[in-house]
């Protein structure tokens, strides 16, 4: 490889629309910044979501991003074990078609263009093998925060270099020192996947092990939000260079998808500044236990605050499907709730989240602390009350409340299990107390969030931290073909 002036990156996101959208946002960030780059996104069609193909996504006609569908006819015959092992096998089965596609891509290059590397997301580490065959480096795009990445490395290190059985931390009451978190973290907040003895824990940490083989890790976060974690990652010689390039927000097309958009905005327009508490638990957020829904309703009513509540119906048979809408809200809410609160609250289904958080009427956000929601809340300067459900959300909650002081607690150690239930109930009283603390004007939390809002915006502008990291990442990539 020598003397090339143009570079092509091959992006391989995990199957599914969400992963594809995140990847496209990241790809656009790079393309918009540097004319020398072009990107091909290899779209592995998920067998469970046939509509999520390259053709269902039509970006603005940017000729330097293209999409190629990757299909493997054999992939349907696999057995459905645990979700993570299923995904593993599914990705593994697509190595051949990926190899064929990349061979074709390289074959079609003009004389000035070179293959600069693969960019995978966290579940696609198997594709590192294919990149190696082409003798190009792999980079990773990690869609959660730097602290969560540090968590994975820490436990993978304990397992592989210190021979510890990390699943023994399950049910532990210990507080653990994890380099990417400022304060010792209660073991009970660790992601449930870490303890999954049916292969989940092993696979999860195996991915982390392979992250170490990459030439760099791009993170959807910003330095000022996670300065401690970024420092701990950059100081560790066994961890590839990290590039925080966020916040990358996923706002596009949410408005046209929601027929209720106008109605929701009109309702917010009628409310006073910072008076509304917004409740939303993410695209998979719902409560199977109707009793839990009632507790939330009672808490809202007793708090006296105005509210906008995204309440979603659990999917019946397929637990891995996203929740739907209630035909009749009365069936889950306390009797007369809607009439009594008609003036001060609104219950909705799916929510155009960034638009809502950006509205001046919204003063607080009761959230499951998914990483995207966290970034959106900071971007919009809305304090959070944490009620995590699954994945690494308990750890995010801890970071937000304890490390950063940008959120208050409702229930930090709440966990929703894979089947949709939980090992605990949150009482109306706990929820109400959380909401009251959340909606205190000019609180310390509020001041911290205002500062973070400013920092999130500064990170993206010229000479901001994320702007600079994008530049450094591109230089690293161009070096591969020079
Ligand atoms: C954030 O949203 C994107 C796009 O929907 C998704 O691919 C990604 O997994 C989300 N990240 C987290 C940590 O949930
Ligand atoms: C796929 O899209 C078609 C046409 O838009 C729609 O009718 C169908 O229900 C979709 N299938 C799934 C599984 O979403
Ligand atoms: C933790 O508690 C659960 C439920 O009681 C139990 O099934 C599991 O084996 C325990 N784990 C450990 C490591 O003791
Ligand atoms: C939660 O509340 C419901 C209804 O009151 C009850 O049936 C269930 O046992 C409770 N669960 C826990 C873990 O306390
Ligand atoms: C960014 O930094 C460069 C080099 O220090 C400087 O020339 C430029 O004016 C800065 N741009 C802004 C918008 O501050």
């Amino acid at each position: 490889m020598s003397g090339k002036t143009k570079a092509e990156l091959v992006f391989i996101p995990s199957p599914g629309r969400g992963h594809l959208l995140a990847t496209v946002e990241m790809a656009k960030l790079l393309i918009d910044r540097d004319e020398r780059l072009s990107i091909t996104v290899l779209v592995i069609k998920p067998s469970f979501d046939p509509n999520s193909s390259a053709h269902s996504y039509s970006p603005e006609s940017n000729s330097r991003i293209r999409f190629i569908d990757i299909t493997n006819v054999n992939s349907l015959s696999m057995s459905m074990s645990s979700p993570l092992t299923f995904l593993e096998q599914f990705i593994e089965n697509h190595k051949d078609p990926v190899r064929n596609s990349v061979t074709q891509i390289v074959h079609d290059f003009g004389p000035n263009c070179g293959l600069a590397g693969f960019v995978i997301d966290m579940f696609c580490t198997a594709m590192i093998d294919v990149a190696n065959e082409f003798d190009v480096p792999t980079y990773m795009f990690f869609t959660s925060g730097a602290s969560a990445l540090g968590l994975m490395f820490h436990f993978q290190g304990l397992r592989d270099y210190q021979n510890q059985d990390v699943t023994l931390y399950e049910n532990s009451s210990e507080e653990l020192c994890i380099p990417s978190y400022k304060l010792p973290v209660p073991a009970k907040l660790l992601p449930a996947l870490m303890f999954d003895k049916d292969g989940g824990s092993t696979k999860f940490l195996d991915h982390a092990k392979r992250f170490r083989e990459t030439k760099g890790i791009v993170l959807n976060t910003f330095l000022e939000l996670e300065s401690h974690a970024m420092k701990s990652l950059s100081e560790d010689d066994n961890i590839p260079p990290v590039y925080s390039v966020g916040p990358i927000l996923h706002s596009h097309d949410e408005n046209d998808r929601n027929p209720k958009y106008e109605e929701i905005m009109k309702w917010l327009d009628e409310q006073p500044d910072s008076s509304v508490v917004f409740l939303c638990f993410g695209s998979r957020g719902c409560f199977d236990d109707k009793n839990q829904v009632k507790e939330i309703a009672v808490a809202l009513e007793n708090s006296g605050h105005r509210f906008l509540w995204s309440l979603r119906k659990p999917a019946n048979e397929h637990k891995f499907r996203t929740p739907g809408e209630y035909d009749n809200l009365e069936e889950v809410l306390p009797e007369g709730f809607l009439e009594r609160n008609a003036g001060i609250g609104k219950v909705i289904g799916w929510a155009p989240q960034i638009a809502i958080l950006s509205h001046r009427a919204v003063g607080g956000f009761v959230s499951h602390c998914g990483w995207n929601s966290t970034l959106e809340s900071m971007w919009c300067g809305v304090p959070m009350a944490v009620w995590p459900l699954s994945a690494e959300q308990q750890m995010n909650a801890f970071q937000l409340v304890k490390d950063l002081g940008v959120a208050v607690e409702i229930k930090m150690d709440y966990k929703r299990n894979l089947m949709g239930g939980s090992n605990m109930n949150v009482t109306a009283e706990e929820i109400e107390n959380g909401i009251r603390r959340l909606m205190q004007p000019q609180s310390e939390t509020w001041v911290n969030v205002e500062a973070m809002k400013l920092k999130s915006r500064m990170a993206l502008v010229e000479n901001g931290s994320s702007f600079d990291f994008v530049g450094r990442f591109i230089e690293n990539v161009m070096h591969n073909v020079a």
Side-chain angles (χ1 to χ4, degrees):
M1 291 187 286
S2 68
K4 305 273 201 287
T5 53
K6 289 175 189 289
E8 167 113 2
L9 285 171
V10 170
F11 275 58
I12 312 176
S14 304
R17 188 181 160 80
H19 297 290
L20 178 58
L21 290 181
T23 294
V24 170
E25 290 297 316
M26 158 73 187
K28 278 206 269 189
L29 187 70
L30 298 178
I31 292 293
D32 290 346
R33 184 68 175 275
D34 200 312
E35 300 218 318
R36 297 172 297 174
L37 276 179
S38 57
I39 288 173
T40 299
V41 183
L42 300 184
V43 183
I44 298 177
K45 250 183 172 166
S47 48
F48 46 87
D49 183 7
N51 280 0
S52 167
S53 79
H55 307 294
S56 68
Y57 188 82
S58 52
E60 303 87 83
S61 56
N62 188 330
S63 58
R64 286 184 291 123
I65 303 185
R66 65 172 164 171
F67 297 83
I68 296 178
D69 271 330
I70 299 293
T71 39
N72 182 351
V73 280
N74 300 325
S75 61
L76 293 174
S77 61
M78 297 181 324
S79 64
M80 177 72 170
S81 43
S82 91
L84 198 58
T85 43
F86 172 81
L87 185 61
E88 285 292 319
Q89 206 183 336
F90 189 76
I91 306 270
E92 187 71 31
N93 286 354
H94 285 77
K95 277 181 172 175
D96 283 346
V98 164
R99 183 183 301 113
N100 295 341
S101 268
V102 177
T103 304
Q104 190 59 47
I105 291 167
V106 171
H107 180 261
D108 294 344
F109 279 156
N112 289 331
C113 187
L115 183 64
F118 282 26
V119 181
I120 57 170
D121 65 14
M122 69 170 282
F123 297 114
C124 287
T125 54
M127 294 303 170
I128 296 174
D129 300 334
V130 183
N132 290 344
E133 291 171 22
F134 287 91
D135 204 18
V136 293
T138 302
Y139 299 90
M140 187 176 55
F141 176 41
F142 192 74
T143 54
S144 292
S147 309
L149 177 64
L151 172 83
M152 289 184 75
F153 279 130
H154 178 68
F155 283 93
Q156 181 260 324
L158 290 183
R159 184 192 70 174
D160 293 330
Y161 313 135
Q162 298 186 35
N163 217 4
Q164 280 193 27
D165 180 0
V166 298
T167 63
L168 291 178
Y169 287 110
E170 187 178 21
N171 313 327
S172 159
S173 56
E174 271 178 77
E175 295 202 332
L176 309 171
C177 288
I178 302 173
S180 58
Y181 293 80
K182 258 187 238 165
L183 302 171
V185 185
K188 65 181 176 184
L189 302 182
L190 291 171
L193 194 53
M194 197 95 89
F195 307 121
D196 174 26
K197 293 178 192 71
D198 300 328
S201 175
T202 308
K203 297 282 180 212
F204 187 58
L205 297 181
D206 284 351
H207 279 300
K209 191 173 184 183
R210 298 215 70 184
F211 295 171
R212 296 190 194 262
E213 296 171 40
T214 63
K215 196 178 176 206
I217 301 176
V218 179
L219 292 153
N220 186 11
T221 188
F222 55 104
L223 187 63
E224 292 76 8
L225 180 67
E226 297 199 274
S227 52
H228 175 85
M230 284 295 288
K231 186 162 182 283
S232 79
L233 292 168
S234 352
E235 284 174 358
D236 187 332
D237 290 341
N238 295 315
I239 293 176
V242 284
Y243 301 84
S244 55
V245 303
I248 302 172
L249 306 167
H250 308 286
S251 58
H252 55 84
D253 89 352
E254 67 176 11
N255 299 349
D256 6 305
R257 262 165 63 206
N258 193 339
K260 292 275 174 65
Y261 179 79
E262 296 299 333
E263 186 190 319
I264 293 168
M265 288 302 133
K266 184 167 172 294
W267 185 83
L268 282 173
D269 286 346
E270 288 159 6
Q271 313 306 319
D273 286 2
S274 305
S275 66
V276 175
V277 53
F278 171 49
L279 296 86
C280 185
F281 295 88
S283 56
R284 296 185 176 273
C286 58
F287 297 96
D288 281 27
D289 184 358
K290 287 188 179 168
N291 200 55
Q292 187 61 75
V293 175
K294 292 216 165 66
E295 295 292 309
I296 298 175
V298 171
L300 284 172
E301 197 158 13
N302 290 348
S303 80
H305 284 288
R306 291 167 197 268
F307 63 86
L308 181 62
W309 180 10
S310 167
L311 173 59
R312 316 207 58 207
K313 182 182 179 172
N316 298 339
E317 299 122 58
H318 303 285
K319 288 296 176 194
F320 302 115
R321 291 259 164 99
T322 46
E325 313 283 304
Y326 284 106
D327 298 323
N328 178 13
L329 285 167
E330 317 259 336
E331 61 179 277
V332 280
L333 294 170
E335 217 182 314
F337 178 83
L338 290 173
E339 297 87 80
R340 282 196 306 279
N341 295 286
I344 59 164
K346 189 170 177 61
V347 182
I348 58 174
W350 190 86
Q353 185 162 293
I354 293 199
I356 292 172
L357 288 172
S358 306
H359 199 285
R360 51 144 196 90
V362 173
F365 181 23
V366 175
S367 170
H368 72 307
C369 310
W371 190 249
N372 291 323
S373 294
T374 299
L375 291 176
E376 289 169 14
S377 209
M378 293 305 110
W379 178 258
C380 298
V382 180
M384 300 164 86
V386 304
W387 184 341
L389 301 180
S390 59
E392 91 298 7
Q393 293 155 12
Q394 290 77 18
M395 300 292 293
N396 295 346
F398 177 84
Q399 186 185 1
L400 294 167
V401 174
K402 303 289 184 187
D403 278 5
L404 298 169
V406 293
V408 300
E409 176 171 5
I410 287 181
K411 195 84 168 173
M412 197 130 60
D413 54 349
Y414 186 89
K415 273 188 188 165
R416 188 171 184 262
N417 61 38
L418 264 186
M419 285 302 126
S422 176
N423 59 345
M424 60 180 78
N425 290 320
V426 187
T427 66
E429 201 182 353
E430 287 171 296
I431 304 166
E432 184 190 334
N433 284 338
I435 291 175
R436 284 185 190 281
R437 275 180 285 123
L438 174 67
M439 298 302 281
Q440 250 168 44
Q442 312 297 320
S443 65
E444 199 186 324
T445 311
W446 185 87
V447 172
N448 291 342
V449 173
E450 274 300 300
M452 205 54 86
K453 171 182 177 177
L454 202 64
K455 289 175 183 170
S456 74
R457 285 155 196 259
M458 291 301 290
L460 295 185
V461 301
E462 191 178 333
N463 296 346
S465 62
S466 295
F467 180 92
D468 282 349
F469 270 121
V470 172
R472 275 187 248 172
F473 177 72
I474 292 174
E475 285 321 309
N476 190 301
V477 164
M478 291 308 300
H479 195 72
N480 300 334
V481 298

